[in-house]
């Protein structure tokens, strides 16, 4: 069967086999070691970078944990300070309210004493005129003058 160029002769097959062996030997002895060397360097630099990146990630995680811990401590301190300020404010308001109540009671007591004293003074000043004023008022109501009693009949 004749298939043309796809049916090579023995000499062409031998030449192709020798040429393939020569190219294979050159590739395996010269080119492949260089390619493997470049790939190994690339792998080493990549692996080194990955390890370095992993160390940086671990360091970043440690720093972040410290930061979050410090932030949580600061929040707790702020909450404590806020609570303490609130309690101090409540205590000051309570003290001011109590002081105000004491002042109020003192003012009311002093005012009541002043009013009682002025009332007693006014009552003492008006007592001599009370009988005359009562008679005059009764006369106005009745429409005729009310006479003064002739004498006091007090026992």
């Amino acid at each position: 069967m004749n298939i043309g160029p796809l049916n090579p002769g023995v000499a062409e097959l031998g030449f192709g086999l020798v040429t393939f062996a020569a190219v294979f030997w050159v590739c395996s002895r010269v080119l492949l070691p260089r390619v493997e060397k470049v790939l190994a360097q690339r792998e080493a630099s990549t692996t080194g970078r990955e390890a370095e990146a992993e160390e940086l990630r671990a360091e970043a995680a440690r720093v972040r944990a410290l930061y979050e811990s410090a932030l949580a401590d600061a929040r707790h301190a702020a909450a404590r300070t806020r609570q303490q300020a609130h309690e101090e404010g409540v205590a000051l308001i309570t003290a001011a309210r109590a002081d105000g109540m004491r002042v109020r009671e003192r003012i009311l007591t002093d005012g009541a004493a002043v009013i009682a004293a002025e009332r007693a003074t006014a009552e003492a000043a008006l007592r001599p005129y009370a009988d005359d004023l009562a008679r005059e008022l009764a006369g106005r109501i009745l429409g005729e003058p009310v006479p003064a009693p002739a004498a006091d009949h007090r026992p």
Side-chain angles (χ1 to χ4, degrees), residues 3-19:
I3 54 174
L6 295 177
N7 193 12
V10 175
E12 292 172 349
L13 274 177
F15 177 73
L17 188 61
V18 170
T19 307

Side-chain angles (χ1 to χ4, degrees), residues 71-90:
L71 187 61
D73 290 344
R75 285 183 181 144
H76 289 300
R80 273 188 255 117
T81 303
R82 199 171 32 251
Q83 180 64 29
Q84 185 180 12
H86 176 72
E87 290 171 359
E88 288 176 4
V90 168

Side-chain angles (χ1 to χ4, degrees), residues 120-132:
T121 304
E123 191 176 316
L126 293 176
R127 185 154 308 275
Y129 304 108
D131 289 337
D132 294 334

Side-chain angles (χ1 to χ4, degrees), residues 55-71:
E55 288 175 10
L56 285 175
R57 279 190 209 108
E59 178 67 18
R62 187 183 64 78
V63 169
R64 183 177 178 149
L66 288 173
Y67 168 75
E68 288 176 355
S69 173
L71 187 61

Side-chain angles (χ1 to χ4, degrees), residues 64-119:
R64 183 177 178 149
L66 288 173
Y67 168 75
E68 288 176 355
S69 173
L71 187 61
D73 290 344
R75 285 183 181 144
H76 289 300
R80 273 188 255 117
T81 303
R82 199 171 32 251
Q83 180 64 29
Q84 185 180 12
H86 176 72
E87 290 171 359
E88 288 176 4
V90 168
L92 288 174
I93 289 171
T94 303
R97 188 172 286 146
D99 188 41
M101 292 302 287
R102 280 192 302 275
V103 169
R104 176 184 167 268
E105 290 302 320
R106 183 178 46 84
I107 290 172
L108 288 176
T109 304
D110 292 348
V114 167
I115 290 172
E118 288 180 1
R119 181 175 180 206

